[in-house]
């Protein structure tokens, strides 16, 4: 997710753009850039790093002008370089564009361009050049028309802003899947407009905004704002008065980043699978793997190295690779992997999982695996991070910046990418087209099913209130839900500071059950899968010891209701996809317990978002 800012009016644009970029840095901060129109010429300056580095690069340069656009980048296509930074240009600097989103068919669109001179590796530059190619300098409405003519050719998502040196009183904006909001200012009774990815950069100037909806195009002209719907009809949009302060706006109205990121999951999950599904072949297409089918068939073993939540995602990957691709897979905690004698060679594929891409233990595991001749691939969130670069190839999970220390959306997207990888390998082995199609259809239903669980958040909050003062917790699961029990236990520990332990439910009777008592509640994941009956006996054992039991069950399971003190329902899905749904009640339970205890939700004590020490 990137940050976009635009301004047109009477004021100097530059300070508004730079201030707006600072407000949006939480959306992405690997590079930034501005473009301002001054007396018929556009001045563009871009720099890698945070906005401060851009300000430093601008230095004492005088950049005048009342129309401009700006962008702070969260890289998805192409590394972190100045040429890849926005704004992107076309027409020898006449047209400038900033874009937030992913253009899936940018390779096909690239072939349609007469101008094959590219500055960058990005999908956004293709968009700029295509709009310019559709621009007709003889027509005064040509900027708006060029955007309208281009967008139907595009597959993917965009929030975009376009300016042109020959249109000093006009900006064109468009939205599909990535947010854009237009602030309506009034400077000495003169119209002025502020455009941004969210209201934060706009609030210092006006609270009157209009939110673009998907498919809409806005012609932002000092003569007046015109908004067209997906059918190209001129529409009247309502004006909203924003009551949020700036901080709340950055969290999109949520109390904190953790809750925002939990609720972001349906949308960012779609970003993880977008453009990576081949329904016709019932397989996945992960370009970053950079292996031929022959090389993939020669892989005899998979090792997954990761820490914390990422390692639990890795354990889900283990089930998926073994079930779909018949490849023996083991998961190693990175800090352990480095100090044992792992048996790896050129027939071993090592996946390094990391949200930050900077976790030192995992980075060292990558170096160890490379030293021993393994094929190493990264599955990370932060583009251009050290682990991504040192692995040499891999896949980005497109979860957008994850600000809260407790990882939520990155877990879900990592699991999604691992499932896609397992399917891609599986379809080269024994997985049939029908199974592949069924799995992909199941994946496509996940965002809707996630939303159904999120809609029940208030019920989970009530349950969390009941249990927030217990000093200990067990999280129980079996099979693919054992890693989920571990993830749920970690979420509770790291956000609420309550001691909790995850246990494979079948193992409780071998000792740990001695701990159970009315003061030692249990959260059991008992969804309808092949181990449901086994889980039921486990829950009955727990209840016989008078422990209170919260059960995560499949919608419609009345039997589970009889066995639970409290129940959280999740929609039915394929067993391999269950973690994508079961993680949400676990995240919300931990979140609301921590809120109930007044904890620092986004920055829990003793923790850091990225552990770059041993
Ligand atoms: C997750 O909630 C924790 N904050 C922590 O376990 C984290 O998953 C771990 O430190 C790994 O971080 P990474 O994904 O950035 O490598």
């Amino acid at each position: 997710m990137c940050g976009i800012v635009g301004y047109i009016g009477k004021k100097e644009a530059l300070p508004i753009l730079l201030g707006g970029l600072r407000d949006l840095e939480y959306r992405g901060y690997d590079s930034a850039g501005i473009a301002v129109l001054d007396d018929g010429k556009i001045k563009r300056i871009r720099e890698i790093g945070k906005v401060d580095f851009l300000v430093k690069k601008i230095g004492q340069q005088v950049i005048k002008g009342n129309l401009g656009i700006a962008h702070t980048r969260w890289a998805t296509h192409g590394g972190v370089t100045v040429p890849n930074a926005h704004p992107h240009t076309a027409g020898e600097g006449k047209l400038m564009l900033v874009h937030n989103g992913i253009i899936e068919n940018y390779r096909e669109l690239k072939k349609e361009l007469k101008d094959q001179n590219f500055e960058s590796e990005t999908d956004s530059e293709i968009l700029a050049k295509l709009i310019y190619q559709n621009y007709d300098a003889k027509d005064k409405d040509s900027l708006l028309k060029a955007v309208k003519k281009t967008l139907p050719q595009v597959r993917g998502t965009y929030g975009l802003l376009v300016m042109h040196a020959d249109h000093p009183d006009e900006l064109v904006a468009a939205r599909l899947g990535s947010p854009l909001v237009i602030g309506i200012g009034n400077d000495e009774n003169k119209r002025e407009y502020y455009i941004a990815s969210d209201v934060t950069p706009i609030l210092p100037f006006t609270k009157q905004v209009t939110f673009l909806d998907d498919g809409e195009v806005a012609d932002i002209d000092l003569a007046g704002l015109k908004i067209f719907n997906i059918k190209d009809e001129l529409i009247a949009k309502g004006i909203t008065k924003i009551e949020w302060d700036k901080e709340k706006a950055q969290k999109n109205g949520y109390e904190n980043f953790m809750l925002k990121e939990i609720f972001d999951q349906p949308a960012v999950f779609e970003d993880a699978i977008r453009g990576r599904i081949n329904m016709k072949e019932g397989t996945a297409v992960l370009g970053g793997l950079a292996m031929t089918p022959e090389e993939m068939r020669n892989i005899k073993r998979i090792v997954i190295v990761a820490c914390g939540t990422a390692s639990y995602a890795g354990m889900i990957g283990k089930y998926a690779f073994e079930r779909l691709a018949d490849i023996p897979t083991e998961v190693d905690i990175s800090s352990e992997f480095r100090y044992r004698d792992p048996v790896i060679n050129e027939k071993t594929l090592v996946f390094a999982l990391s949200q930050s891409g900077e976790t030192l233990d995992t980075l060292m595991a990558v170096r160890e695996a490379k030293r021993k001749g393994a094929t190493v691939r990264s599955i990370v969130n932060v583009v251009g991070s050290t682990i991504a670069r040192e692995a040499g190839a891999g896949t980005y999970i497109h979860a957008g910046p994850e600000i809260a220390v407790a990882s939520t959306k990155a877990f879900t997207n990592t699991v999604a990418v691992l499932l896609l990888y397992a399917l891609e390998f599986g379809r080269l082995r024994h997985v049939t087209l029908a199974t592949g199609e069924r799995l992909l259809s199941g994946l496509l239903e996940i965002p809707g099913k996630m939303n159904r669980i999120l809609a029940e958040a208030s019920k989970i909050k009530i349950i969390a209130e009941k249990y927030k003062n217990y000093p200990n917790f067990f999280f129980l699961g079996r099979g693919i839900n054992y890693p989920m029990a571990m993830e749920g236990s970690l979420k509770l520990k790291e956000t609420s500071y309550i001691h909790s332990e995850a246990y494979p439910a079948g193992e409780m009777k071998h000792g740990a059950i001695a701990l159970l008592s009315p003061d030692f509640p249990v959260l059991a994941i008992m969804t309808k899968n092949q181990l449901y009956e086994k889980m039921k006996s486990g829950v009955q054992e727990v209840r016989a010891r008078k422990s209170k039991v919260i059960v995560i069950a499949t919608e419609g399971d009345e039997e589970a209701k009889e066995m639970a003190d409290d129940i959280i329902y999740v929609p039915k899905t394929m067993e391999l996809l269950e973690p994508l749904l079961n993680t949400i009640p676990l995240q919300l339970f931990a979140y609301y317990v921590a809120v109930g205890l007044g904890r620092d939700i986004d920055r829990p004590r003793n923790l850091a978002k990225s552990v770059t020490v041993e």
Side-chain angles (χ1 to χ4, degrees), residues 119 205 384 461 466 611:
E119 284 183 337
F205 305 100
K461 180 176 181 180
K466 274 176 68 175
V611 183

Side-chain angles (χ1 to χ4, degrees), residues 180-184 193-196 199 202 207-213 216 218 225 227 236-242:
L180 267 186
V181 55
I182 302 171
I184 294 135
Y193 297 98
Y194 304 82
I195 306 95
V199 296
I202 296 171
K207 293 189 181 301
Q208 308 292 329
V209 303
T210 187
F211 292 91
L212 283 189
D213 289 311
E216 291 178 354
L225 172 64
I227 297 177
K237 293 279 288 186
I239 304 282
T240 307
K241 187 170 181 333
I242 296 295

Side-chain angles (χ1 to χ4, degrees), residues 276 286-291 303-306 349-358 362-363 366 370 375-397 414 417-418 421:
R276 294 170 168 169
L286 291 145
L289 181 61
M291 290 173 76
V303 173
I304 296 172
V305 291
L349 172 58
V350 172
F351 280 111
L353 312 185
S354 176
Q355 188 286 129
S356 62
E358 301 299 341
T362 304
L363 175 60
V366 163
K370 285 172 74 173
T375 301
V376 181
R377 292 292 179 267
S378 63
I379 297 177
V380 303
N381 193 29
V382 180
V383 175
S385 54
T386 307
I387 290 171
R389 281 182 286 110
E390 294 209 10
T395 298
Y396 290 119
I397 66 171
T414 302
V417 169
L418 284 165
Y421 265 126

Side-chain angles (χ1 to χ4, degrees), residues 24 42 112 312 319 415 490 550 577 582 600:
L24 295 181
I42 296 177
E112 293 174 30
Y312 306 140
Y319 283 96
V415 169
L490 175 61
I550 304 167
L577 306 186
N582 297 347
D600 182 343

Side-chain angles (χ1 to χ4, degrees), residues 258 305-312 334 353-360 362-363 379-382 387 402 404-408 410-411 414 487 490-491 494-495 604 607-611:
M258 183 176 175
V305 291
C307 300
T309 286
S311 72
Y312 306 140
S334 305
L353 312 185
S354 176
Q355 188 286 129
S356 62
E358 301 299 341
T359 298
L360 187 63
T362 304
L363 175 60
I379 297 177
V380 303
N381 193 29
V382 180
I387 290 171
E402 189 175 69
V405 165
S407 186
T408 50
F411 170 82
T414 302
E487 168 56 11
L490 175 61
K491 282 285 133 347
E494 66 174 333
T495 51
L607 294 178
K609 184 58 187 168
S610 174
V611 183

